Amino acid sequence: MIEFQNVSKRYGNKVAVDDVSFNIDEGEFFVLIGPSGCGKTTTLKMINRLIPLSEGYIYFNNQPISDYPVYEMRWDIGYVLQQIALFPHMTVKENIAQVPQMKKWKEKDIDARVDELLEMVNMDPEQYKMRKPDELSGGQRQRIGVVRALAADPPVILMDEPFSALDPISREKLQEDLLDLQSKIKKTIVFVTHDIHEAMKLGDRICLLNEGHIEQIGTPQSFIDAPKNDFVRQFMGDQIKQTEWVKLGDLVTSEHHIDAHDNHLESYPTFDSEQRINEVYQALATHEAVIVKDQQHAQDALLTREAVFNYLSHSQEQAGEHA
Ligand code: ADP
Ligand code: MG
């Protein structure tokens, strides 16, 4: 759906993006990650022509982006920023309705769309749509930023570190929301972050940039199984290297135990308690939970996505304390 072909971007002599090529599939959650200054934002903004490229081609649905009128690109590609700029003097509804209004939607369609979007992120329309941004919490403002980008139903959404200014709890919640939302709307999402845990949690694939070039691109699992070089290993950090060896059985406590005959649980994928934590990442991208079979105790357990990521973030804090 989006294809980069030998794309470079120079600001004067400074090469910000250096001959990168990759494809993003339709419906994919694609994460751009890397240290500060590695070219993430530049790469993202070239997609909707906020930044012109110096060399190479970017194709959108097999057509060079230069063939599309600029305004059309901006409208048809949703964009969410780190510090989302909601218009302070406008209500939540007016903020969300921006692009639909520019596209001259009928008023009643806009009304219905605003309500629908607010409900999607669990904000009661009656309670929130007439509020001003300063009558919302940081997390709520960020939710509005996300749904505003979705308002006119664009096929692609670009997100530049949308959650990095939030406290860890709101951030976790919005990540969950976004995964949930993505499972419903199936948009192509290009998401920038510098946080490897966020990338592992959200991405179908991750593209790790360093000084403008691609170090590695692949599934979260592939970064754990086969980091390509020392830069990748170092970026992933010792913490993930260690947790990769943790057995699922070690995460299970009695509170996770379940009745093996409960039919509600049949849709969850099953793993053995001897399997490693990294083996469930993929499954947790599409399932809320996995079932862990313990051969010895014959006691099955349900490990939710939340439980696994809580475990990961907790062990990261501990690793940080020792560092
Ligand atoms: P990231 O988002 O990964 O932090 P950016 O894409 O913003 O990185 O920037 C990549 C590199 O290009 C950095 O070295 C940055 O200083 C440089 N850069 C970004 N924007 C400009 C600009 N408008 N003029 C000059 N250099 C820039
Ligand atoms: Mg940036």
Side-chain angles (χ1 to χ4, degrees), residues 26 53 103 117 174 208 239 292 296:
E26 187 163 356
L53 33 155
K103 290 191 148 192
L117 288 164
L174 261 82
L208 173 55
Q239 194 275 324
V292 178
Q296 264 153 22

Side-chain angles (χ1 to χ4, degrees), residues 242-257 272-278 280-281 284 290 292 294 301-315:
Q242 284 161 18
T243 45
E244 115 185 56
W245 295 107
V246 173
K247 290 178 183 172
L248 293 177
D250 294 343
L251 268 74
V252 171
T253 64
S254 56
E255 67 185 281
H256 301 122
H257 286 163
D272 188 89
S273 60
E274 291 293 304
Q275 285 181 275
R276 312 288 178 175
I277 198 167
N278 62 44
V280 299
Y281 287 154
L284 288 177
V290 296
V292 178
D294 188 334
L302 187 75
L303 272 184
T304 60
R305 187 189 287 152
E306 197 179 358
V308 172
F309 284 109
N310 276 346
Y311 178 86
L312 286 174
S313 52
H314 189 66
S315 52

Side-chain angles (χ1 to χ4, degrees), residues 90-157:
M90 289 185 189
T91 63
V92 163
K93 181 186 161 183
E94 287 163 342
N95 268 286
I96 296 174
Q98 289 276 300
V99 176
Q101 259 160 7
M102 285 191 274
K103 290 191 148 192
K104 308 210 186 307
W105 285 23
K106 292 198 195 93
E107 198 57 36
K108 78 170 193 347
D109 293 338
I110 294 178
D111 282 349
R113 182 65 178 156
V114 168
D115 288 3
E116 178 187 31
L117 288 164
L118 287 171
E119 276 160 14
M120 260 190 219
V121 289
N122 302 313
M123 290 174 70
D124 175 23
E126 293 319 310
Q127 197 181 341
Y128 291 107
K129 68 182 169 191
M130 300 318 281
R131 289 204 193 176
K132 297 277 175 64
D134 66 0
E135 297 166 320
L136 303 173
S137 70
Q140 288 169 338
R141 276 199 290 273
Q142 211 63 11
R143 280 194 180 82
I144 301 304
V146 172
V147 299
R148 179 174 64 175
L150 293 171
D153 211 19
V156 177
I157 300 159

Side-chain angles (χ1 to χ4, degrees), residues 98-260:
Q98 289 276 300
V99 176
Q101 259 160 7
M102 285 191 274
K103 290 191 148 192
K104 308 210 186 307
W105 285 23
K106 292 198 195 93
E107 198 57 36
K108 78 170 193 347
D109 293 338
I110 294 178
D111 282 349
R113 182 65 178 156
V114 168
D115 288 3
E116 178 187 31
L117 288 164
L118 287 171
E119 276 160 14
M120 260 190 219
V121 289
N122 302 313
M123 290 174 70
D124 175 23
E126 293 319 310
Q127 197 181 341
Y128 291 107
K129 68 182 169 191
M130 300 318 281
R131 289 204 193 176
K132 297 277 175 64
D134 66 0
E135 297 166 320
L136 303 173
S137 70
Q140 288 169 338
R141 276 199 290 273
Q142 211 63 11
R143 280 194 180 82
I144 301 304
V146 172
V147 299
R148 179 174 64 175
L150 293 171
D153 211 19
V156 177
I157 300 159
L158 311 180
M159 305 179 90
D160 196 351
E161 310 212 20
F163 306 146
S164 63
L166 298 174
D167 63 274
I169 293 168
S170 313
R171 182 175 189 158
E172 187 92 9
K173 180 73 182 67
L174 261 82
Q175 291 168 350
E176 299 292 337
D177 273 11
L178 185 59
L179 278 176
D180 193 39
L181 200 61
Q182 170 65 350
S183 70
K184 292 176 201 151
I185 59 179
K186 303 266 191 285
K187 301 287 183 188
T188 306
I189 297 179
V190 191
F191 187 102
V192 166
T193 182
H194 57 260
D195 174 350
I196 187 68
H197 286 271
E198 187 163 75
M200 303 286 286
K201 180 170 174 177
L202 298 175
D204 294 319
R205 278 190 307 151
I206 297 171
C207 175
L208 173 55
L209 295 172
N210 177 29
E211 295 181 352
H213 65 264
I214 297 175
E215 293 283 359
Q216 184 161 345
I217 185 164
T219 61
Q221 184 74 52
S222 73
F223 275 74
I224 291 171
D225 291 347
K228 282 213 168 131
N229 55 40
D230 285 345
F231 178 86
V232 179
R233 264 185 289 275
Q234 197 166 2
F235 190 81
M236 300 283 291
D238 293 334
Q239 194 275 324
I240 285 184
K241 275 191 280 175
Q242 284 161 18
T243 45
E244 115 185 56
W245 295 107
V246 173
K247 290 178 183 172
L248 293 177
D250 294 343
L251 268 74
V252 171
T253 64
S254 56
E255 67 185 281
H256 301 122
H257 286 163
I258 49 165
D259 176 359

